[in-house]
Amino acid sequence: DVTNEAGGTFTLDEATLTGGFTNFGDMTSDGAVTVSGESRNEGNLNVASGSLTVNDTFTNVSANTLTIDPGTTFAADLTENVATGRIINNGTLSGALENAGTIETTDGVFTGLITNTGQIGGSAVGTVQFAGGLDNDGTVDLTGNASIGDVARIGGAGLSGDGTFALDIDLSGNTGGAGRSDYVLAEAGAPVTGTINLSFNTTGLGGQQESNILVFDVDEGAANNFDVVATGLPDQGESIIYALVQDSNNGDAYVADLLNPGIGALAGSIVLTQSLIGSIVNRPSSPFVNGLAYADEDPCGAAPWARFTGGSADSNGQITQVGADERTFRGEISADFYGLQLGGDFACFNGHFNGWDLAGGGIAGFNDGRSTQPVFALNTTGELSDTITSVTDVEFFQSYAGIYGTAVKDRFVAEMQYRVEQTEFMANNEGRNGSFGLGLTDSEFDSNSSTVSGSLSYAYSIPDTELLLVPVAGFAYTQISTDPIIFDDGSIVEVSDFDSRIGFVGGTLSRTKFGEDGTTALNQFVTATYYND
């Protein structure tokens, strides 16, 4: 056994050491050197040429360095790099390695199984090869240099553990449209298990990528059983999001640039609001449920009427983003509204027109309300998670005017209505859970529409009761155009003109109570309706 004290110089040149060594000073290995016994480095040890083989355990505890130069090999039955240890491997480190300290590497090769609870990386990584496998509960850092495209290649026993890979990624789209990234490659049947944490250092933003950026490449034929998560990508709440997505066929992970589902959801809320107003609030309905409450010598007359409306609605649907990377997301919207309808008509009862009761008049009114819509982050399958990144509130105010007519014969009732509508919207998006949100503040825009609607119903008397059952079927057809929606940064979402075609069926159960004065009646009714938009 040889001990090289601090300040000492120890050189092995094409040598065989039958014991082991402990180095506190400067030690150099040149040529083919073999050491038989357990050894330890607490100074500076440099494998300058050839190979240094330790046929026992080697422990590196130095705050200084074990340096393996390019083209050289250091081998030990087991190499332990403790928490205070530092290794620079620019050549080949052979044999099992337990790393709790720091390893720096440039194009380094590790041929044995690496158990890492410390950090592996450096200022010029290049391609680092873990040919014997990697059990990683620490960090493999490929971000130490200014270049992008460094690779961690893993073979042998494969990749396991719940550690982190730090990767540079360029999202500026300035390389022919295709972004670049450092990446992890599990090759030649190497299985991947555990949780893979990808921590991104973003070097550029704003470019649209021609294709998704590969960041984790696995062998689909291996016995893989792993999860992959990401940190460091831009805010998932912004208009354009960069999300880690995983190929369901082979498990490879990519970074994709996607339109935030909240953008489509915002357009969807406009559609929902129009559908809500058109089908439920402004459903074609005359102001009376039954005919006149009493007989009159003059069956014709004119009169005004008014109706107050209010309610709430919850909508769950799907939003599909089409294109090369087509995805479908869920949308959830809650809305509250109230409104006032005013009308006046001229009506004739008692079968005045060859057995028909007819009424015609005008209608005007407003609807005021608000919708609330959560925006969710994406998970690695490209689907929405349960994490809310922002909430979009849309206030709307609609004014409208139109004409309507009703025709009644015996128990048969037909109604038609035509309206023109203008709806004013104001949208706000507020970030949640640390997100900045979509960048939408007090954005005002209008939509204009026209609607023709109608319904048919028939009244059945329920024997031995005061009740009427009135089934109904109808439609509403609306043509809608919407102004562009302008975001804080000047981005614009254009909502194409669209048509809303609504059909509905339903029923009303009603009864009429006549007043003691003989001139008034109270109509009581409950209605249930099924709509299809």
Side-chain angles (χ1 to χ4, degrees):
D1 292 333
V2 174
T3 299
N4 184 41
E5 300 292 355
T9 299
F10 180 31
T11 301
L12 292 171
D13 187 355
E14 297 288 346
T16 299
L17 184 63
T18 58
F21 67 82
T22 301
N23 177 50
F24 295 98
D26 293 313
M27 179 175 174
T28 302
S29 173
D30 285 319
V33 175
T34 301
V35 178
S36 298
E38 181 177 343
S39 298
R40 183 181 186 90
N41 177 50
E42 296 192 36
N44 293 308
L45 171 58
N46 180 210
V47 184
S49 67
S51 62
L52 169 59
T53 302
V54 178
N55 294 318
D56 207 322
T57 300
F58 173 82
T59 304
N60 188 58
V61 298
S62 174
N64 295 307
T65 312
L66 161 64
T67 301
I68 306 168
D69 285 345
T72 68
T73 300
F74 173 82
D77 291 348
L78 172 63
T79 299
E80 297 181 12
N81 190 40
V82 301
T84 57
R86 178 170 177 246
I87 295 176
I88 298 177
N89 179 25
N90 298 329
T92 300
L93 192 154
S94 183
L97 168 65
E98 294 180 359
N99 177 51
T102 300
I103 296 178
E104 299 175 17
T105 182
T106 301
D107 295 325
V109 178
F110 300 85
T111 63
L113 175 63
I114 310 304
T115 302
N116 179 47
T117 56
Q119 179 160 313
I120 300 175
S123 59
V125 175
T127 298
V128 55
Q129 299 184 54
F130 300 98
L134 174 64
D135 183 4
N136 182 40
D137 285 306
T139 298
V140 177
D141 187 355
L142 306 184
T143 67
N145 57 12
S147 66
I148 293 178
D150 299 316
V151 185
R153 300 178 62 172
I154 301 164
L159 174 62
S160 60
D162 299 325
T164 297
F165 290 87
L167 309 175
D168 288 319
I169 190 168
D170 179 10
L171 300 175
S172 64
N174 59 2
T175 56
R180 299 174 300 157
S181 177
D182 302 335
Y183 68 99
V184 181
L185 169 62
E187 56 187 351
V192 180
T193 59
T195 299
I196 312 303
N197 298 278
L198 302 180
S199 176
F200 290 100
N201 173 44
T202 303
T203 63
L205 279 174
Q208 183 175 9
Q209 317 304 323
E210 289 184 353
S211 60
N212 293 341
I213 304 171
L214 178 65
V215 292
F216 190 71
D217 189 356
V218 301
D219 187 336
E220 62 181 298
N224 300 315
N225 182 17
F226 68 97
D227 296 314
V228 58
V229 296
T231 59
L233 291 174
D235 182 4
Q236 276 236 8
E238 295 180 351
S239 301
I240 302 298
I241 61 176
Y242 298 91
L244 182 71
V245 296
Q246 196 170 2
D247 191 314
S248 59
N249 295 320
N250 57 30
D252 292 347
Y254 300 83
V255 170
D257 60 335
L258 303 169
L259 186 69
N260 194 313
I263 302 295
L266 175 61
S269 71
I270 309 305
V271 177
L272 171 72
T273 301
Q274 296 290 358
S275 177
L276 171 69
I277 294 172
S279 62
I280 300 174
V281 180
N282 289 344
R283 168 183 165 175
S285 178
S286 67
F288 24 78
V289 177
N290 292 324
L292 210 60
Y294 65 98
D296 195 327
E297 292 182 0
D298 183 4
C300 298
W305 58 270
R307 176 189 286 124
F308 178 80
T309 60
S312 64
D314 295 316
S315 171
N316 294 275
Q318 289 185 333
I319 301 159
T320 299
Q321 175 180 300
V322 299
D325 191 25
E326 182 169 313
R327 298 180 184 279
T328 298
F329 310 101
R330 74 179 186 271
E332 300 177 4
I333 303 174
S334 299
D336 299 294
F337 62 91
Y338 67 92
L340 178 66
Q341 295 178 344
L342 302 173
D345 56 37
F346 183 84
C348 292
F349 294 93
N350 297 331
H352 183 71
F353 296 99
N354 294 323
W356 288 88
D357 296 345
L358 300 180
I363 185 173
F366 71 87
N367 296 297
D368 198 353
R370 177 175 182 171
S371 66
T372 301
Q373 189 172 42
V375 179
F376 297 92
L378 297 183
N379 57 27
T380 55
T381 62
E383 299 174 345
L384 296 181
S385 68
D386 294 328
T387 301
I388 296 176
T389 59
S390 64
V391 174
T392 301
D393 289 323
V394 178
E395 299 177 11
F396 59 88
F397 180 85
Q398 182 189 70
S399 55
Y400 60 90
I403 56 175
Y404 71 92
T406 64
V408 180
K409 187 173 185 180
D410 298 326
R411 298 174 179 269
F412 176 81
V413 179
E415 299 178 291
M416 288 291 294
Q417 189 178 111
Y418 176 78
R419 299 187 309 274
V420 291
E421 306 148 347
Q422 182 183 39
T423 310
E424 300 173 356
F425 296 92
M426 185 171 70
N428 281 279
N429 179 268
E430 181 179 346
R432 299 286 175 85
N433 296 314
S435 170
F436 295 115
L438 298 176
L440 187 67
T441 307
D442 294 339
S443 180
E444 297 182 359
F445 54 96
D446 296 341
S447 74
N448 295 282
S449 58
S450 59
T451 300
V452 59
S453 56
S455 67
L456 297 173
S457 60
Y458 192 86
Y460 293 93
S461 296
I462 299 178
D464 302 323
T465 70
E466 300 176 337
L467 300 176
L468 282 177
L469 177 62
V470 186
V472 62
F475 74 96
Y477 175 74
T478 305
Q479 294 180 316
I480 303 168
S481 63
T482 305
D483 293 342
I485 305 170
I486 302 176
F487 286 71
D488 297 347
D489 63 359
S491 300
I492 294 175
V493 170
E494 294 182 353
V495 182
S496 297
D497 294 349
F498 65 96
D499 296 339
S500 173
R501 302 175 180 87
I502 296 171
F504 63 88
V505 294
T508 298
L509 191 64
S510 69
R511 68 177 180 179
T512 301
K513 290 291 187 180
F514 295 98
E516 295 180 357
D517 57 7
T519 62
T520 61
L522 175 65
N523 293 320
Q524 300 168 320
F525 64 94
V526 60
T527 296
T529 312
Y530 176 83
Y531 298 91
N532 183 55
D533 185 348

